[in-house]
mmCIF file of all heavy atoms in Angstrom:
data_model
loop_
_atom_site.group_PDB
_atom_site.id
_atom_site.type_symbol
_atom_site.label_atom_id
_atom_site.label_comp_id
_atom_site.label_asym_id
_atom_site.label_seq_id
_atom_site.Cartn_x
_atom_site.Cartn_y
_atom_site.Cartn_z
ATOM 1 N N MET A 233 21.736 -7.777 -25.534
ATOM 2 C CA MET A 233 22.797 -7.215 -24.693
ATOM 3 C C MET A 233 22.800 -5.691 -24.754
ATOM 4 O O MET A 233 23.018 -5.011 -23.744
ATOM 5 C CB MET A 233 24.155 -7.783 -25.126
ATOM 6 C CG MET A 233 24.370 -9.231 -24.759
ATOM 7 S SD MET A 233 24.300 -9.515 -22.969
ATOM 8 C CE MET A 233 25.768 -8.642 -22.430
ATOM 9 N N ARG A 234 22.558 -5.141 -25.937
ATOM 10 C CA ARG A 234 22.478 -3.685 -26.029
ATOM 11 C C ARG A 234 21.282 -3.135 -25.256
ATOM 12 O O ARG A 234 21.384 -2.093 -24.600
ATOM 13 C CB ARG A 234 22.420 -3.257 -27.502
ATOM 14 C CG ARG A 234 23.722 -3.486 -28.264
ATOM 15 C CD ARG A 234 23.779 -2.668 -29.539
ATOM 16 N NE ARG A 234 22.786 -3.088 -30.509
ATOM 17 C CZ ARG A 234 22.973 -4.012 -31.431
ATOM 18 N NH1 ARG A 234 24.129 -4.652 -31.485
ATOM 19 N NH2 ARG A 234 22.039 -4.304 -32.307
ATOM 20 N N LEU A 235 20.164 -3.826 -25.337
ATOM 21 C CA LEU A 235 18.987 -3.377 -24.614
ATOM 22 C C LEU A 235 19.205 -3.444 -23.103
ATOM 23 O O LEU A 235 18.762 -2.555 -22.360
ATOM 24 C CB LEU A 235 17.776 -4.225 -25.016
ATOM 25 C CG LEU A 235 17.291 -4.043 -26.452
ATOM 26 C CD1 LEU A 235 16.228 -5.084 -26.787
ATOM 27 C CD2 LEU A 235 16.738 -2.636 -26.664
ATOM 28 N N TYR A 236 19.884 -4.501 -22.619
ATOM 29 C CA TYR A 236 20.177 -4.587 -21.191
ATOM 30 C C TYR A 236 21.073 -3.418 -20.749
ATOM 31 O O TYR A 236 20.826 -2.817 -19.695
ATOM 32 C CB TYR A 236 20.897 -5.912 -20.889
ATOM 33 C CG TYR A 236 20.082 -7.160 -21.185
ATOM 34 C CD1 TYR A 236 20.714 -8.370 -21.469
ATOM 35 C CD2 TYR A 236 18.691 -7.115 -21.197
ATOM 36 C CE1 TYR A 236 19.976 -9.507 -21.747
ATOM 37 C CE2 TYR A 236 17.957 -8.250 -21.466
ATOM 38 C CZ TYR A 236 18.597 -9.447 -21.755
ATOM 39 O OH TYR A 236 17.866 -10.582 -22.026
ATOM 40 N N ALA A 237 22.072 -3.107 -21.555
ATOM 41 C CA ALA A 237 22.969 -2.009 -21.203
ATOM 42 C C ALA A 237 22.239 -0.666 -21.214
ATOM 43 O O ALA A 237 22.453 0.178 -20.338
ATOM 44 C CB ALA A 237 24.149 -1.963 -22.189
ATOM 45 N N ILE A 238 21.348 -0.488 -22.191
ATOM 46 C CA ILE A 238 20.565 0.756 -22.253
ATOM 47 C C ILE A 238 19.694 0.913 -21.014
ATOM 48 O O ILE A 238 19.620 1.997 -20.420
ATOM 49 C CB ILE A 238 19.726 0.784 -23.541
ATOM 50 C CG1 ILE A 238 20.627 1.031 -24.759
ATOM 51 C CG2 ILE A 238 18.642 1.858 -23.467
ATOM 52 C CD1 ILE A 238 19.933 0.854 -26.085
ATOM 53 N N GLY A 239 19.016 -0.171 -20.610
ATOM 54 C CA GLY A 239 18.187 -0.105 -19.425
ATOM 55 C C GLY A 239 18.990 0.236 -18.180
ATOM 56 O O GLY A 239 18.567 1.044 -17.346
ATOM 57 N N ALA A 240 20.171 -0.384 -18.035
ATOM 58 C CA ALA A 240 21.017 -0.115 -16.869
ATOM 59 C C ALA A 240 21.493 1.339 -16.844
ATOM 60 O O ALA A 240 21.484 1.980 -15.784
ATOM 61 C CB ALA A 240 22.228 -1.063 -16.884
ATOM 62 N N LEU A 241 21.881 1.860 -17.990
ATOM 63 C CA LEU A 241 22.398 3.239 -18.029
ATOM 64 C C LEU A 241 21.306 4.275 -17.798
ATOM 65 O O LEU A 241 21.515 5.264 -17.098
ATOM 66 C CB LEU A 241 23.092 3.479 -19.372
ATOM 67 C CG LEU A 241 24.412 2.724 -19.555
ATOM 68 C CD1 LEU A 241 24.888 2.821 -21.004
ATOM 69 C CD2 LEU A 241 25.487 3.278 -18.611
ATOM 70 N N PHE A 242 20.136 4.047 -18.377
ATOM 71 C CA PHE A 242 19.014 4.953 -18.112
ATOM 72 C C PHE A 242 18.704 4.983 -16.618
ATOM 73 O O PHE A 242 18.484 6.036 -16.021
ATOM 74 C CB PHE A 242 17.767 4.504 -18.887
ATOM 75 C CG PHE A 242 17.543 5.231 -20.179
ATOM 76 C CD1 PHE A 242 17.438 4.546 -21.361
ATOM 77 C CD2 PHE A 242 17.416 6.618 -20.213
ATOM 78 C CE1 PHE A 242 17.239 5.197 -22.567
ATOM 79 C CE2 PHE A 242 17.209 7.294 -21.404
ATOM 80 C CZ PHE A 242 17.112 6.583 -22.588
ATOM 81 N N MET A 243 18.691 3.800 -15.992
ATOM 82 C CA MET A 243 18.345 3.737 -14.572
ATOM 83 C C MET A 243 19.460 4.278 -13.692
ATOM 84 O O MET A 243 19.204 4.735 -12.578
ATOM 85 C CB MET A 243 18.013 2.295 -14.187
ATOM 86 C CG MET A 243 17.271 2.164 -12.882
ATOM 87 S SD MET A 243 15.786 3.216 -12.821
ATOM 88 C CE MET A 243 14.894 2.452 -11.482
ATOM 89 N N THR A 244 20.708 4.246 -14.176
ATOM 90 C CA THR A 244 21.792 4.869 -13.423
ATOM 91 C C THR A 244 21.540 6.361 -13.279
ATOM 92 O O THR A 244 21.716 6.945 -12.201
ATOM 93 C CB THR A 244 23.136 4.624 -14.145
ATOM 94 O OG1 THR A 244 23.414 3.218 -14.160
ATOM 95 C CG2 THR A 244 24.275 5.330 -13.412
ATOM 96 N N VAL A 245 21.131 6.987 -14.384
ATOM 97 C CA VAL A 245 20.788 8.414 -14.338
ATOM 98 C C VAL A 245 19.652 8.669 -13.358
ATOM 99 O O VAL A 245 19.731 9.523 -12.477
ATOM 100 C CB VAL A 245 20.392 8.930 -15.734
ATOM 101 C CG1 VAL A 245 20.026 10.411 -15.674
ATOM 102 C CG2 VAL A 245 21.503 8.701 -16.745
ATOM 103 N N PHE A 246 18.594 7.908 -13.522
ATOM 104 C CA PHE A 246 17.393 8.131 -12.725
ATOM 105 C C PHE A 246 17.640 7.862 -11.245
ATOM 106 O O PHE A 246 17.203 8.619 -10.379
ATOM 107 C CB PHE A 246 16.286 7.198 -13.236
ATOM 108 C CG PHE A 246 14.895 7.632 -12.858
ATOM 109 C CD1 PHE A 246 14.361 8.803 -13.371
ATOM 110 C CD2 PHE A 246 14.127 6.862 -12.016
ATOM 111 C CE1 PHE A 246 13.069 9.193 -13.043
ATOM 112 C CE2 PHE A 246 12.850 7.242 -11.664
ATOM 113 C CZ PHE A 246 12.309 8.409 -12.188
ATOM 114 N N GLY A 247 18.367 6.764 -10.955
ATOM 115 C CA GLY A 247 18.666 6.452 -9.574
ATOM 116 C C GLY A 247 19.528 7.505 -8.905
ATOM 117 O O GLY A 247 19.296 7.885 -7.752
ATOM 118 N N ALA A 248 20.515 8.018 -9.623
ATOM 119 C CA ALA A 248 21.391 9.053 -9.078
ATOM 120 C C ALA A 248 20.623 10.332 -8.796
ATOM 121 O O ALA A 248 20.735 10.923 -7.712
ATOM 122 C CB ALA A 248 22.547 9.324 -10.040
ATOM 123 N N VAL A 249 19.834 10.777 -9.752
ATOM 124 C CA VAL A 249 19.108 12.045 -9.627
ATOM 125 C C VAL A 249 18.121 12.005 -8.465
ATOM 126 O O VAL A 249 18.097 12.890 -7.601
ATOM 127 C CB VAL A 249 18.376 12.391 -10.933
ATOM 128 C CG1 VAL A 249 17.371 13.513 -10.730
ATOM 129 C CG2 VAL A 249 19.396 12.777 -12.011
ATOM 130 N N TYR A 250 17.294 10.960 -8.401
ATOM 131 C CA TYR A 250 16.233 10.949 -7.411
ATOM 132 C C TYR A 250 16.698 10.492 -6.029
ATOM 133 O O TYR A 250 15.993 10.701 -5.042
ATOM 134 C CB TYR A 250 15.056 10.099 -7.908
ATOM 135 C CG TYR A 250 14.161 10.909 -8.824
ATOM 136 C CD1 TYR A 250 14.276 10.802 -10.191
ATOM 137 C CD2 TYR A 250 13.260 11.830 -8.302
ATOM 138 C CE1 TYR A 250 13.478 11.578 -11.034
ATOM 139 C CE2 TYR A 250 12.463 12.584 -9.128
ATOM 140 C CZ TYR A 250 12.573 12.459 -10.495
ATOM 141 O OH TYR A 250 11.784 13.241 -11.321
ATOM 142 N N THR A 251 17.865 9.890 -5.935
ATOM 143 C CA THR A 251 18.416 9.604 -4.621
ATOM 144 C C THR A 251 18.957 10.882 -3.981
ATOM 145 O O THR A 251 18.858 11.072 -2.769
ATOM 146 C CB THR A 251 19.537 8.548 -4.722
ATOM 147 O OG1 THR A 251 18.978 7.313 -5.172
ATOM 148 C CG2 THR A 251 20.209 8.328 -3.368
ATOM 149 N N VAL A 252 19.514 11.770 -4.793
ATOM 150 C CA VAL A 252 20.216 12.945 -4.270
ATOM 151 C C VAL A 252 19.341 14.193 -4.234
ATOM 152 O O VAL A 252 19.586 15.093 -3.412
ATOM 153 C CB VAL A 252 21.480 13.195 -5.134
ATOM 154 C CG1 VAL A 252 22.160 14.493 -4.766
ATOM 155 C CG2 VAL A 252 22.459 12.024 -4.975
ATOM 156 N N ILE A 253 18.320 14.274 -5.074
ATOM 157 C CA ILE A 253 17.582 15.520 -5.219
ATOM 158 C C ILE A 253 16.986 16.012 -3.898
ATOM 159 O O ILE A 253 16.903 17.209 -3.648
ATOM 160 C CB ILE A 253 16.469 15.379 -6.296
ATOM 161 C CG1 ILE A 253 15.892 16.754 -6.652
ATOM 162 C CG2 ILE A 253 15.395 14.416 -5.847
ATOM 163 C CD1 ILE A 253 16.882 17.699 -7.262
ATOM 164 N N GLY A 254 16.583 15.078 -3.040
ATOM 165 C CA GLY A 254 16.020 15.493 -1.743
ATOM 166 C C GLY A 254 17.032 16.242 -0.899
ATOM 167 O O GLY A 254 16.672 17.231 -0.244
ATOM 168 N N PHE A 255 18.283 15.799 -0.908
ATOM 169 C CA PHE A 255 19.328 16.505 -0.161
ATOM 170 C C PHE A 255 19.548 17.898 -0.740
ATOM 171 O O PHE A 255 19.705 18.871 0.003
ATOM 172 C CB PHE A 255 20.641 15.706 -0.197
ATOM 173 C CG PHE A 255 20.605 14.443 0.604
ATOM 174 C CD1 PHE A 255 20.368 13.221 0.009
ATOM 175 C CD2 PHE A 255 20.818 14.486 1.987
ATOM 176 C CE1 PHE A 255 20.346 12.054 0.759
ATOM 177 C CE2 PHE A 255 20.809 13.326 2.746
ATOM 178 C CZ PHE A 255 20.560 12.100 2.127
#
Side-chain angles (χ1 to χ4, degrees):
M233 288 299 293
R234 290 198 294 270
L235 292 171
Y236 298 155
I238 287 171
L241 290 169
F242 262 124
M243 197 52 162
T244 296
V245 179
F246 200 67
V249 167
Y250 277 99
T251 295
V252 173
I253 192 63
F255 289 98

